[in-house]
Each structure stands twice: as structure tokens, then as C-alpha cells.
């Protein structure tokens, strides 16, 4: 604990059940009331600094290692930015395969996140910290853990079949994808169809858990400000043409094209963390990620659309509690699975051209794509031989920083009763971090 | 019952994700034992442990502090991933001026065994989950996990039929022919010098090997124990037969050749391998 003129600061460190290194600082007034809570990222490698001066074809390979939770999407964002700089149009089948692998990756990442990091908060909220983990749940409810793990394993296998590796794959390359799919591979992927019942059961399980968790669900205040995501025809999309903003207070949605979005971005270097805080014009604070995308909504004719309607009936639309993020992820897994099945069923991916050769040229490119954690932006400047002159990345954490700290402060005001923070209080604060920001690297 | 732990240094968490992808066998194995400290549970205070898996390179003083503590408390340490084994992608930060490193406290980027003794190395970026799981299970159950002493080429199904004698290509320039060795078609592939075990997962899906599993035993035990020299030797004997051309090619690819390795466990005591150079230095 630190004592300053303005009050005392208590630190929760290390944070658990979340990848990366970070802490939470709680600032107390002299009469021991919470003034503010801050989430601090303590380490950020910024790999974009090492790609400067390198041939641009290395960028997707290196930048996918920025963060495993969004790795594949960094590779995609990097490839698209380079394609834009060099004026390359990728073939339609390559776009479809990119979307297929991205869908499978979203599903697999969300499930891993839910299973190992988020579920214990809801399944064992009153348990001792020694058993509040996936192994603790497995000891009392092995069937549901087996079911979730089986679904995760099906997605991982499907990614590996198409993209070679499930993590840090070299499948997304500037110009398209590294190889196409044949009928045999596609028929293997049809096994994914059998997951429908499991996915429905997992969502039912989540709904039941959340209904019984009022202590966790009711902490803090409803989120205020905006949520946003990349959209196509108003629905969330991996690399759609526009960005849609909507407010938690329910006003009309606003759609920006990509160039307006980029020009509205403002960076603020925070004095207490190595991450940057980004706001987008007057839309502040604004949230990106699974909760934001679920709020933007899925096609009502889809399985995910029908399931999300059931959830909105219970918890209202938009979801405005951090604790509902796990449900948003569950819904997104269903949508991602559905989209993958739609693509597998489309005739146009088998045996088609999936890569277009091209020459490097001087230019700049910018891409905006969705990753499991939210919107990422890659900007690249190339010289005429294809070497990288400059590279910049904006991550979901940069966008979410403001919202996360506001939410964290509200939760802290609500649950923290004094400077001796107990296990249950710190667990609830960490839940907020896990919910609004799924990684810290 | 044994005590198992995990600890993370400077990493992208891909190695952790790879282990978690193992799914139920992992959960079931760890449920039979006790997790002392880990990012998977709610206690990270370092306490006595029989086996600790560590990932990421040593990037700052806090990593060094944790590494020393882990070393003091753990009977066996498994270094998982090319960051922990060789420094990995992050190690390239060493070449940046300190003002470009974020945050500035990140300054080291060394493999774990530069600070503490390691019992088992599992390289890869990330290593396949099944290999990591076997390493953990073998250490817990006291059997020796498989040592992958062969190269990626041994697992690769691409055919080596004709010798490449023409010019070398970058991946953006042309579409490689399916089923034929990348090197034979004039694309750089690091399969001949890279440790196997990954089932040649990249080359089987149209991408050349970029060496994420680090140098093979042949490279580590060779006279020069250098990726560059061994790759050059391999290309010389198997393709053009002349040294000048492949040498020129490899000069261009030197960044790629050393993407994951700055040093290796077996050759640690010997002089460092040649470091990649930036464009300005070329
Ligand atoms: S070895 Fe690769 S996957 Fe593992 S932490 Fe390092 S960069 Fe990430
Ligand atoms: S050089 Fe590459 S493509 Fe050729 S056999 Fe070896 S791993 Fe396969
Ligand atoms: S083929 Fe090469 S780059 Fe790909 S996983 Fe294997 S060792 Fe790593």
C-alpha cells in the first residue's frame, strides 16, 4: 500500500486467470472511500517496432505473435494493410477461406477464454480461492467441462486442418491464403455440423449460471457511453466496410465509413500504464469486443439471433453489465460456428484460386478488422522494394481503456468496503477486467 | 499427488493457449495433482512445486525476480516455447534503441536459461499442445518424453524431385506447386535445419517452414552449430551446387532465418550464432 497526500493506493497484483501481466490500483480518499480504480498493463511488447526496416512479407508472421488471443486476426489485418499499400485484390475464395478460419478462430478463442478463465467466477462464486478454477469445476461437474472441452477441440482440429497451425498459423498471407481446400477437406469439416446440440446446451448452462449469480451480476453500475464494431449491412463482420456505434442509452445507431473512423481516432498516452488510450471522436467512452458485437446484434433469422433474443428478454438490450460478457462470448461462438457452416456449404471454396501473385510497391495501407477481443487497426507504409518504413497498430485494449477504468471504478465503489481488500472483492474486480478485456499482452 | 505450476515471463501467451488447447486430458491430468501457482488458478504466489512450466523470455527485472523465485521453489523447470528456449521473436527487441522499447523497463529479452537452470526444453512458436502435454505428463510420471531429433523435412510430404537451378522467389511473386518441395521450386524453406515434431504443419498447408521449432539436433551438434551455415550447406548440396547464389539468397533472408533464435541451449557456452542484421546495416 502507498500513502500520498491525496490518499492511499492499494494494489492488486498479480491478476489471475487472465493472460499477460497487469495490476489494479485502487485509490482511496483519506476517509477510506474508493475514489478511483485503475487497470494498469505493465508489459506491452509492441512488436510493430521490430518490423520497421524488414520486408513486409514478414509482418503478418511476426505480428501474429503480438498476442495469441488475437494472433490470427493480427496476421489478417497485416496482410490486408499490405495488400492495400500494394493495390492487391484477393480472389473471392481467399476471402471466404479467411472468413472461415477467422470464424473458427473466434469460436476456439472464446471457448478457451470462457472455460479456463471466466467460468469459475460464475460456477464457484462463493468457493474458496483454492478451488475456484476449472479443475475445481471439473471435480464437481465433469460432464459440462468435458462437453465444452470437446467443442473446443473440434474447433481447434478444424483450424489446423485448414490453416496448418491453430495458433500463429502462416495461412493468411498478403495476396490471399497459403493454399486452398479440396472436397475431402471440406467433407471433414462437415463434422462441425454435429456441434449444434452441444452449443445450445453450453448456452443454456451459461444462462442458468448467470441467473443464480446475483452477487456477481448486480455489482457496479450499468455501462454508459457507446459500443461499436466493424459491420457489414449493419451486422458484425470480421472485415466489413464500416463501423457502427450505438449508445448504451439506446439512441439511434451511427455508421461511419473506415476513413472517417480513422480520422476520428485520438491517442492519449496514459501516465500510469504502458498502453495507449484511444478515443473515437465524440463517441467516448466506447467499448469494443464480444459484448459490443452481441449488442450490435445478429441476424434474427439465425440460430445466434434467436438465442440472443432469449437472452435480451432476460437481461434487456443492450447488455450493459460487464458480467454479461461471458454470455456475449457464448452467443458469438454460436454465430461463428453458424458462419463457418455457411461457408463450408458454399460451393465456391473448393478448388478455387486463393492467391494472387503481386509486386511490392511504395504506398500506405490501413486495415480495420475484428478480433475476439475487439477492433484492431493496422497501418503500414512501404518503400518501393516492399520494406516497411512505418507500422502502427491500435489494439482492442487501447480502445477499451477508458470504459474499462470507468467500469472498474464503479465496481470498486460498489464492492470494496475498505483498504483491506478481501478475496471476494478482488475476484469481482478481476472479473471486470476479464470481461471487458480478454488479454493484456 | 504432485505440485504443478506455470509461470509467464515476456510472452504473447500463445504457448499457454497451445497447452490449453489440449482440453480434457489436460484438465483431467491437473485435477489429479495440485496446482501450486499459475495463471489458471487464483493463487500466483510462488510456492514449492515439483514441476513448473515457464513461457516467454526474460524481458525485465520483474521476470528475472520471478524466474529466480521459481527456480528456488521448483524441483524441475520446463522451458516451453521458442521465447523461453531461445529468446524467440521478442529477442529481436535487443536490436532496437532503448527508446523504442515499450515500456522502457523491457530491456533484456534473454532465454530463460540465461538466468536459471532448465530441465527440459520444448521449443516452438508455440510448441504443439500435444508435445507440451507429453513433456508435462512425462515429467510428472517420470518417463522421458519423445525427443524430436529429426527435422521438419522428415515429416514433410512434399516431394523432392528436381533440383532448383534458377532464380529464387519471394512468396508474393508466384504460387508454389502443391506437393513439391519449396526449396526445389526456389522458395526458402527452413525444414532442413528445423526440429521436427510439428507434423510439418505449415508445409502441409502451403506455407514454407519459418523455423519456429528452432534448430535441429544436427545443427546444434554440427561443427559451426549455425543455422546459417547449415542451411547454406544444405542448399548448396541439394540444389544449385554452387555456393555463390545460395549465399546471396540467404543474405536477403537473414532476418527470417533468425526470427526465433538468438542462441540455443546446447551451444550456450559456445560463441553466439551470427545475429541477423537490420536493413540499414546491410
Ligand atoms: S514462443 Fe511464440 S507462442 Fe510462445 S510466447 Fe513466444 S511468441 Fe508466443
Ligand atoms: S525443404 Fe521444406 S518443403 Fe522441402 S521437404 Fe523440407 S520441409 Fe518440405
Ligand atoms: S513447419 Fe516450421 S514453422 Fe511450421 S510449425 Fe513446423 S517448425 Fe514451425
Amino acid at each position: 500500500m502507498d500513502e500520498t497526500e491525496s490518499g492511499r493506493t492499494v494494489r492488486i497484483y498479480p491478476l489471475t486467470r487472465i493472460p499477460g501481466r497487469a495490476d489494479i490500483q485502487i485509490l482511496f480518499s483519506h476517509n477510506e472511500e474508493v475514489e478511483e480504480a485503475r487497470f494498469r498493463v505493465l508489459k506491452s511488447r509492441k512488436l510493430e517496432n521490430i518490423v520497421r526496416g524488414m520486408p513486409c512479407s514478414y509482418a503478418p508472421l511476426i505480428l501474429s505473435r503480438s498476442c495469441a488471443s488475437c494472433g490470427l486476426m493480427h496476421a489478417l489485418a497485416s496482410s490486408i494493410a499490405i495488400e492495400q499499400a500494394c493495390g492487391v485484390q484477393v480472389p473471392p475464395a481467399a476471402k471466404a477461406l479467411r472468413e472461415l478460419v477467422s470464424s473458427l478462430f473466434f469460436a476456439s478463442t472464446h471457448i478457451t477464454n470462457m472455460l479456463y478463465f471466466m467460468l469459475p467466477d460464475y460456477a464457484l462464486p462463493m468457493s474458496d480461492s483454492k478451488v475456484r478454477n476449472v479443475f475445481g469445476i471439473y471435480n464437481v461437474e465433469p460432464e459440462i467441462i468435458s462437453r465444452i472441452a470437446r467443442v473446443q477441440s473440434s474447433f481447434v482440429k478444424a483450424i489446423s486442418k485448414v490453416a496448418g497451425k491453430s495458433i500463429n498459423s502462416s495461412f493468411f498471407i498478403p495476396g490471399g491464403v497459403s493454399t486452398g481446400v479440396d472436397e475431402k477437406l471440406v467433407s471433414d469439416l462437415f463434422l462441425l455440423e454435429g456441434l449444434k446440440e452441444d452449443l445450445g446446451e453450453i448456452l443454456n448452462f451459461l444462462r442458468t449460471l448467470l441467473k443464480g449469480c446475483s452477487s456477481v451480476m448486480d455489482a457496479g453500475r450499468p455501462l454508459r457511453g457507446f459500443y461499436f464494431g466493424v459491420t457489414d449491412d449493419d451486422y458484425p463482420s470480421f472485415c466489413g466496410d464500416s463501423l457502427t456505434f450505438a449508445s448504451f442509452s439506446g439512441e439511434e445507431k451511427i455508421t461511419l465509413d473506415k476513413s472517417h473512423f480513422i480520422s476520428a481516432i485520438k491517442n492519449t498516452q496514459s501516465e500510469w500504464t504502458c498502453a495507449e488510450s484511444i478515443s473515437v471522436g465524440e463517441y467516448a467512452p466506447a467499448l469494443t469486443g464480444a459484448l459490443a458485437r452481441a449488442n450490435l446484434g445478429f441476424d434474427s433469422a439465425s440460430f445466434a439471433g434467436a438465442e440472443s433474443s432469449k437472452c435480451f428478454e432476460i437481461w434487456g438490450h443492450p447488455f450493459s453489465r460487464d458480467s454479461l460478457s461471458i454470455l456475449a462470448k457464448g452467443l458469438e461462438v454460436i454465430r461463428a460456428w453458424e458462419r463457418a457452416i455457411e461457408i463450408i456449404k458454399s460451393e465456391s471454396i473448393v478448388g478455387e484460386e486463393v492467391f494472387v501473385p503481386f509486386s511490392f510497391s511504395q504506398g500506405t495501407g490501413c486495415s480495420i478488422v475484428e478480433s475476439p477481443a475487439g477492433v484492431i487497426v493496422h497501418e503500414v507504409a512501404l518503400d518501393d522494394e516492399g520494406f516497411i518504413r512505418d507500422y502502427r497498430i491500435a489494439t482492442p485494449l487501447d480502445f477499451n481503456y477508458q470504459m474499462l477504468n470507468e467500469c472498474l471504478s464503479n465496481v470498486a465503489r460498489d464492492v470494496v468496503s475498505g483498504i483491506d481488500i478481501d478475496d471476494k472483492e478482488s475476484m469481482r474486480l478481476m472479473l471486470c477486467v476479464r470481461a471487458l478485456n480478454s488479454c493484456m499482452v | 499427488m504432485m505440485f504443478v505450476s506455470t509461470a509467464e515471463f515476456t510472452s504473447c501467451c500463445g504457448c499457454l493457449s497451445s497447452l490449453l488447447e489440449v482440453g480434457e486430458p489436460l484438465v483431467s491430468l491437473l485435477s489429479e495433482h495440485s496446482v501450486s501457482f499459475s495463471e489458471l488458478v487464483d493463487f500466483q504466489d510462488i510456492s514449492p512445486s515439483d514441476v513448473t512450466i515457464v513461457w516467454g523470455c526474460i524481458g525485465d527485472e520483474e521476470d528475472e525476480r520471478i524466474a529466480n523465485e521459481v527456480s528456488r521453489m521448483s524441483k524441475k523447470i520446463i522451458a516451453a516455447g521458442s521465447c523461453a528456449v531461445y529468446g524467440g521473436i521478442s529477442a529481436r527487441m535487443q536490436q532496437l534503441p532503448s527508446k523504442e522499447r515499450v515500456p522502457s523497463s523491457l530491456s533484456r529479452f534473454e532465454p530463460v536459461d540465461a538466468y536459471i537452470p532448465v530441465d527440459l526444453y520444448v521449443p516452438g512458436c508455440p510448441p504443439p499442445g500435444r508435445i507440451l502435454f507429453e513433456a508435462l505428463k512425462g515429467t510428472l510420471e517420470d518417463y522421458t518424453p519423445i525427443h524430436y531429433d529429426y527435422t521438419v523435412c522428415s515429416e514433410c510430404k512434399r516431394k523432392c524431385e528436381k533440383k532448383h537451378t534458377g532464380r529464387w522467389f519471394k512468396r508474393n511473386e508466384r504460387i508454389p506447386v502443391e506437393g513439391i518441395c519449396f526449396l526445389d521450386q526456389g522458395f526458402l524453406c527452413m525444414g532442413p535445419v528445423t526440429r521436427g515434431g510439428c507434423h510439418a504443419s505449415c508445409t502441409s498447408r502451403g506455407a514454407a517452414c519459418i523455423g519456429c521449432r528452432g534448430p535441429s539436433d544436427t545443427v546444434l551438434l554440427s561443427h559451426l552449430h549455425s543455422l546459417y551455415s547449415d542451411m547454406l550447406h544444405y542448399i548448396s548440396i541439394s540444389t544449385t551446387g554452387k555456393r555463390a547464389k545460395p549465399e546471396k539468397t540467404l543474405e536477403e533472408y537473414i532476418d527470417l532465418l533468425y526470427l526465433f533464435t538468438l542462441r540455443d541451449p546446447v551451444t550456450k557456452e559456445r560463441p553466439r550464432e551470427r545475429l541477423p542484421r537490420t536493413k540499414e546495416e546491410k
Side-chain angles (χ1 to χ4, degrees):
Chain A
M1 182 174 35
D2 283 343
E3 189 134 15
T4 61
E5 266 181 35
S6 53
R8 294 188 205 185
T9 305
V10 175
R11 182 184 192 216
I12 303 175
Y13 174 81
L15 304 190
T16 63
R17 285 190 280 119
I18 182 160
R21 192 172 300 154
D23 70 7
I24 295 172
Q25 275 193 332
I26 305 178
L27 282 59
F28 288 92
S29 64
H30 282 297
N31 53 358
E32 292 198 7
E33 276 174 10
V34 173
E35 298 223 310
E36 191 185 346
R38 289 172 183 168
F39 166 65
R40 302 193 310 168
V41 174
L42 303 173
K43 206 182 256 188
S44 164
R45 292 178 305 159
K46 297 253 176 211
L47 290 184
E48 56 270 36
N49 288 341
I50 62 173
V51 300
R52 291 197 193 104
M54 283 191 184
C56 64
S57 49
Y58 299 177
L61 300 173
I62 293 176
L63 297 173
S64 64
R65 271 98 180 162
S66 300
C67 155
S69 305
C70 301
L72 204 66
M73 306 317 289
H74 278 294
L76 179 60
S78 183
S79 299
I80 296 174
I82 292 164
E83 283 154 9
Q84 204 184 79
C86 300
V88 182
Q89 291 290 332
V90 304
K95 283 191 184 164
L97 287 178
R98 284 176 171 184
E99 199 179 345
L100 171 65
V101 173
S102 301
S103 302
L104 298 169
F105 178 72
F106 263 57
S108 145
T109 303
H110 279 342
I111 290 189
T112 304
N113 208 272
M114 283 158 49
L115 176 61
Y116 293 98
F117 301 131
M118 301 182 87
L119 210 50
D121 290 327
Y122 303 87
L124 302 168
M126 307 312 281
S127 302
D128 186 87
S129 63
K130 290 229 169 330
V131 293
R132 197 174 52 224
N133 50 56
V134 66
F135 316 110
I137 310 175
Y138 188 69
N139 285 332
V140 287
E141 296 216 46
E143 298 80 23
I144 188 69
I145 297 296
S146 302
R147 195 189 273 266
I148 302 175
R150 219 174 32 242
V151 171
Q152 176 208 22
S153 156
S154 303
F155 285 122
V156 168
K157 277 192 198 135
I159 302 172
S160 307
K161 271 187 197 306
V162 185
K165 287 168 79 170
S166 54
I167 300 168
N168 296 345
S169 154
S170 304
F171 186 63
F172 294 158
I173 52 175
V177 293
S178 60
T179 191
V181 290
D182 58 19
E183 268 166 25
K184 161 85 180 61
L185 201 158
V186 170
S187 76
D188 288 350
L189 293 177
F190 267 108
L191 287 176
L192 287 171
E193 271 197 303
L195 293 181
K196 186 167 184 179
E197 193 195 322
D198 285 322
L199 292 171
E201 280 303 314
I202 292 170
L203 202 69
N204 277 337
F205 172 70
L206 288 179
R207 275 194 289 250
T208 311
L209 272 188
L210 264 58
K211 281 187 204 158
C213 261
S214 55
S215 62
V216 169
M217 301 296 291
D218 299 341
R221 280 175 229 162
L223 300 170
R224 58 156 210 114
F226 300 84
Y227 51 90
F228 74 102
V230 180
T231 48
D232 229 353
D233 291 336
D234 274 355
Y235 292 118
S237 151
F238 297 114
C239 38
D241 292 330
S242 45
L243 288 108
T244 301
F245 284 76
S247 75
F248 281 104
S249 57
E251 288 148 34
E252 286 271 295
K253 286 182 183 171
I254 306 112
T255 299
L256 299 183
D257 64 29
K258 287 186 169 177
S259 56
H260 279 101
F261 174 78
I262 295 291
S263 60
I265 284 181
K266 288 192 206 93
N267 296 40
T268 340
Q269 193 74 50
S270 164
E271 77 231 30
W272 73 76
T273 168
C274 58
E276 272 182 302
S277 175
I278 294 180
S279 56
V280 185
E282 72 260 42
Y283 309 112
L287 182 76
T288 178
L291 195 75
R293 289 186 297 254
N295 280 339
L296 288 170
F298 308 113
D299 182 351
S300 57
S302 66
F303 177 25
E307 289 295 329
S308 52
S309 302
K310 285 190 214 164
C311 298
F312 289 136
E313 265 172 39
I314 305 169
W315 288 284
H317 179 268
F319 288 160
S320 59
R321 295 274 175 182
D322 58 344
S323 44
L324 286 164
S325 172
I326 190 167
L327 201 56
K329 286 186 183 172
L331 290 167
E332 273 214 306
V333 171
I334 292 183
R335 182 61 202 136
W337 166 82
E338 245 181 329
R339 186 68 196 118
I341 300 290
E342 283 163 18
I343 297 168
I344 296 163
K345 284 186 174 164
S346 86
E347 307 256 309
S348 55
I349 54 169
V350 177
E352 295 289 320
E353 184 188 61
V354 293
F355 173 76
V356 54
F358 67 98
S359 309
F360 295 129
S361 56
Q362 186 171 352
T364 57
C366 175
S367 64
I368 307 173
V369 308
E370 283 285 0
S371 72
V375 170
I376 52 181
V377 181
H378 280 228
E379 278 187 293
V380 66
L382 303 180
D383 71 14
D384 52 2
E385 287 176 72
F387 284 89
I388 295 172
R389 277 195 288 116
D390 199 11
Y391 210 109
R392 293 200 305 152
I393 297 178
T395 69
L397 174 60
D398 299 336
F399 289 111
N400 282 343
Y401 225 98
Q402 237 179 310
M403 181 76 86
L404 176 52
N405 281 320
E406 198 172 294
C407 180
L408 201 57
S409 298
N410 284 333
V411 172
R413 284 179 203 118
D414 213 20
V415 302
V416 173
S417 53
I419 53 169
D420 294 320
I421 296 171
D422 67 21
D423 170 61
K424 296 281 173 299
E425 293 166 349
S426 65
M427 184 208 90
R428 184 58 188 81
L429 289 164
M430 284 191 248
L431 181 150
C432 175
V433 175
R434 287 178 205 118
L436 299 189
N437 185 68
S438 47
C439 74
M440 312 178 296
V441 286
Chain B
M1 187 183 72
M2 293 174 86
F3 291 93
V4 187
S5 310
T6 67
E8 178 190 332
F9 303 126
T10 301
S11 94
C12 78
C13 305
C15 292
L16 167 66
S17 303
S18 186
L19 183 65
L20 298 185
E21 282 185 354
V22 171
E24 191 171 5
L26 175 74
V27 178
S28 162
L29 177 74
L30 292 184
S31 303
E32 290 164 19
H33 297 279
S34 178
V35 180
S36 314
F37 56 92
S38 168
E39 56 267 71
L40 296 175
V41 296
D42 282 4
F43 29 99
Q44 290 210 44
D45 290 343
I46 297 162
S47 51
S49 183
D50 291 297
V51 185
T52 303
I53 309 184
V54 299
W55 24 71
C57 66
I58 304 295
D60 60 8
E61 275 175 25
E62 179 70 345
D63 284 348
E64 189 185 342
R65 183 191 68 76
I66 296 171
N68 286 326
E69 191 80 344
V70 164
S71 179
R72 214 165 49 79
M73 293 288 192
S74 305
K75 288 191 189 146
K76 287 199 171 151
I77 293 180
I78 302 174
S82 294
C83 289
V85 177
Y86 300 109
I89 287 261
S90 309
R92 302 185 65 93
M93 293 271 190
Q94 282 180 5
Q95 296 166 311
L96 290 176
S98 58
K99 67 176 169 42
E100 286 180 33
R101 296 179 196 155
V102 184
S104 52
S105 66
L106 286 178
S107 56
R108 302 173 187 206
F109 310 107
E110 301 268 16
V112 171
D113 71 357
Y115 291 84
I116 56 169
V118 164
D119 298 280
L120 185 62
Y121 297 92
V122 190
C125 188
R130 71 191 146 75
I131 298 184
L132 259 178
F133 179 69
E134 273 306 303
L136 174 63
K137 197 161 180 277
T139 313
L140 284 170
E141 294 173 7
D142 209 19
Y143 66 84
T144 311
I146 301 170
H147 176 68
Y148 297 90
D149 57 354
Y150 46 82
T151 64
V152 172
C153 287
S154 318
E155 298 181 309
C156 177
K157 298 214 166 48
R158 289 180 172 262
K159 289 204 177 66
C160 306
E161 319 186 298
K162 59 182 170 79
K163 306 290 178 210
H164 172 70
T165 51
R167 63 172 282 239
W168 291 83
F169 298 99
K170 295 203 165 60
R171 185 60 176 85
N172 60 298
E173 291 178 296
R174 58 153 62 184
I175 303 172
V177 180
E178 288 295 335
I180 306 291
C181 171
F182 280 109
L183 278 175
D184 284 356
Q185 301 182 56
F187 295 100
L188 182 74
C189 178
M190 288 180 67
V193 291
T194 301
R195 185 175 304 282
C198 62
H199 297 162
S201 48
C202 302
T203 64
S204 67
R205 294 301 299 148
C209 173
I210 54 170
C212 85
R213 291 260 296 146
S216 64
D217 278 1
T218 317
V219 176
L220 296 178
L221 301 171
S222 70
H223 177 58
L224 289 170
H225 53 267
S226 157
L227 275 173
Y228 175 83
S229 310
D230 275 43
M231 192 72 211
L232 193 61
H233 178 68
Y234 182 88
I235 295 174
S236 302
I237 57 165
S238 68
T239 57
T240 65
K242 288 187 207 128
R243 209 173 160 87
K245 265 191 185 168
E247 212 154 40
K248 194 163 175 296
T249 305
L250 279 194
E251 285 296 323
E252 276 179 44
Y253 286 98
I254 201 94
D255 282 325
L256 191 59
L257 216 53
Y258 285 89
L259 213 49
F260 301 95
T261 51
L262 285 179
R263 67 168 70 156
D264 56 70
V266 178
T267 58
K268 209 179 112 199
E269 303 308 320
R270 303 187 204 167
R272 268 183 169 215
E273 285 199 278
R274 179 178 174 166
L275 291 177
R277 293 172 303 162
T278 59
K279 195 190 171 199
E280 284 68 40
E281 288 169 329
K282 281 175 195 166

